[in-house]
């Protein structure tokens, strides 16, 4: 492999026309420059200079090699610029994992801030509700719960506690109440809203078990925004984290739950390798802002 430093000397000697002038401008001795040029000739197997009196004259091969090396120097200069930009967070990529309700609510302002402040940053958004077997993204929003193992190469930051609410019709007897003990929903027909059977489901079922019952699911749907309109038909109620409620259809409202209050704990993990990246720092700031207290 050719030595870049030797190629730089070759270019400098051809530009100045003199070993002595090159040595003086670069702070080397003439002997050191000559030794490096001789080593480059051995490395390439080419005659790069001819001796003319006390001086040297580049051969055609020497001029060609120096000319082609300009592409190398341009690429290295561009690479130096990339390194500077990466330090400043101006280019590169950042991957953010999310689950559906957090993605719909929080990621648009995060993406908008990053694209404005780091316009050359490539943003990779990934749905990561099922984390098993997936490579951990640089930043990952997830529902934390007992038994979930945190990757050792990432820092976990609690973000917000998200209570579950009962979605009922305005005409339901529960609608006029500020708060309803969870046990009062034991005899109701429920509309399922969870496909993954993951951390959110465990939080809700554990709370119901603490209240002394298991929900009676009349209809199975696979997400919050599909389940909620079913409530308007009178089939049953559904229980959804506050973040997943969104805009309710006409005729529906939410009621707080208690005794116990089902609560999911939302956290964000940040890989230690990107923790100091300006874009990652900014993303975490925006997430904390939009998540609220």
């Amino acid at each position: 492999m050719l030595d870049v430093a030797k190629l730089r000397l070759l270019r400098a000697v051809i530009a100045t026309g003199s070993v002595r002038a090159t040595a003086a401008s670069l702070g080397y001795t003439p002997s050191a420059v000559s030794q490096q040029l001789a080593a480059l000739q051995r490395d390439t197997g080419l005659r790069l200079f001819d001796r003319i009196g006390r001086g040297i004259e580049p051969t055609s091969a020497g001029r060609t090699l120096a000319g082609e090396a300009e592409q190398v120097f341009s690429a290295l200069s561009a690479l130096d610029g990339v390194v500077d930009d990466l330090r400043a967070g101006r280019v590169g990529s950042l991957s953010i994992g999310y689950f559906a309700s957090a993605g719909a609510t929080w990621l648009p302002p995060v993406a908008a801030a990053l694209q404005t402040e780091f316009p050359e940053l490539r943003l990779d958004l990934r749905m990561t509700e099922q984390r098993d077997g997936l490579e951990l993204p640089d930043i990952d929003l997830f529902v934390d719960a007992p038994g979930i193992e945190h990757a050792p190469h990432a820092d976990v930051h609690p973000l917000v506690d998200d209570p579950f609410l009962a979605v009922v019709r305005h005409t339901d007897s529960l609608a006029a109440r500020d708060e309803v003990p969870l046990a009062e929903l034991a005899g109701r027909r429920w509309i399922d809203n969870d496909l993954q059977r993951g951390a959110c489901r465990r939080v809700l079922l554990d709370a119901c078990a603490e209240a002394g019952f298991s929900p009676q699911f009349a209809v199975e749907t696979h997400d919050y925004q599909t389940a909620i309109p079913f409530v308007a038909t009178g089939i049953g109620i559904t229980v959804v984290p506050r973040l997943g409620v969104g805009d309710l259809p006409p005729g529906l409202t939410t009621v707080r739950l208690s005794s116990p209050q089902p609560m999911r704990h939302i956290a964000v993990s940040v890989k230690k390798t990107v923790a100091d990246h300006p874009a990652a720092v900014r993303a975490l700031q925006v997430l904390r802002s939009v998540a609220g207290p």
Side-chain angles (χ1 to χ4, degrees):
M1 182 178 294
L2 294 181
D3 187 295
V4 173
K6 295 173 185 174
L7 290 174
R8 289 190 190 279
L9 279 178
L10 171 67
R11 181 182 63 168
V13 170
I14 291 177
T16 63
S18 165
V19 169
R20 189 173 298 278
T22 298
S25 65
L26 298 180
Y28 297 150
T29 64
S31 175
V33 173
S34 296
Q35 289 175 10
Q36 290 298 305
L37 292 178
L40 182 60
Q41 290 191 128
R42 290 194 300 272
D43 293 342
T44 61
L46 299 171
R47 193 177 79 256
L48 302 177
F49 291 94
D50 287 327
R51 288 202 169 274
I52 307 295
R54 292 186 175 183
I56 58 174
E57 178 73 22
T59 63
S60 175
R63 292 186 184 278
T64 299
L65 182 59
E68 292 297 321
E70 287 296 335
Q71 300 179 35
V72 175
F73 302 137
S74 296
L76 288 173
S77 177
L79 193 59
D80 286 340
V82 168
V83 171
D84 290 340
D85 284 342
L86 286 171
R87 289 195 185 110
R90 289 189 293 267
V91 295
S93 65
L94 187 72
S95 56
I96 302 179
Y98 65 95
F99 54 94
S101 53
T105 307
W106 294 340
L107 285 193
V110 171
L114 293 180
Q115 290 301 298
T116 298
E117 299 174 32
F118 308 94
E120 296 185 35
L121 180 75
R122 184 173 65 82
L123 200 55
D124 178 13
L125 304 180
R126 309 174 186 174
M127 178 80 82
T128 53
E129 292 201 53
Q130 286 184 306
R131 293 159 57 108
D132 294 344
L134 294 176
E135 179 186 354
L136 189 69
D138 297 323
I139 296 175
D140 191 29
L141 288 162
F142 68 101
V143 176
D144 204 1
I148 291 181
E149 293 186 8
H150 299 153
H153 58 284
D155 296 320
V156 174
H157 307 271
L159 203 56
V160 71
D161 290 338
D162 190 25
F164 284 73
L165 306 172
V167 180
V168 301
R169 294 197 294 176
H170 280 156
T171 56
D172 193 300
S173 61
L174 301 179
R177 298 169 61 178
D178 293 331
E179 188 173 276
V180 174
L182 187 58
E184 290 193 25
L185 304 184
R188 296 295 190 105
R189 289 160 59 87
W190 288 43
I191 298 163
D192 195 4
N193 55 44
D194 194 334
L195 171 66
Q196 306 298 342
R197 306 295 193 268
C200 296
R201 166 56 64 86
R202 292 201 302 273
V203 168
L204 183 56
L205 293 185
D206 287 350
C208 290
E210 187 177 339
F213 74 100
S214 295
Q216 301 176 28
F217 292 113
V219 176
E220 179 176 317
T221 69
H222 295 156
D223 61 88
Y224 304 143
Q225 295 308 310
T226 301
I228 288 172
F230 274 84
V231 178
T233 69
I235 292 176
I237 64 168
T238 195
V239 178
V240 177
R242 182 172 56 193
L243 186 60
V245 171
D247 295 326
L248 286 175
L252 299 184
T253 189
T254 59
V255 182
R256 293 196 308 272
L257 299 172
S258 62
S259 304
Q261 181 186 49
M263 183 79 70
R264 66 178 184 176
H265 306 289
I266 300 176
V268 57
S269 72
V270 181
K271 279 185 176 178
K272 294 178 181 179
T273 52
V274 302
D276 295 328
H277 191 295
V281 172
R282 182 61 175 137
L284 190 55
Q285 289 175 342
V286 178
L287 281 171
R288 285 172 168 156
S289 175
V290 297

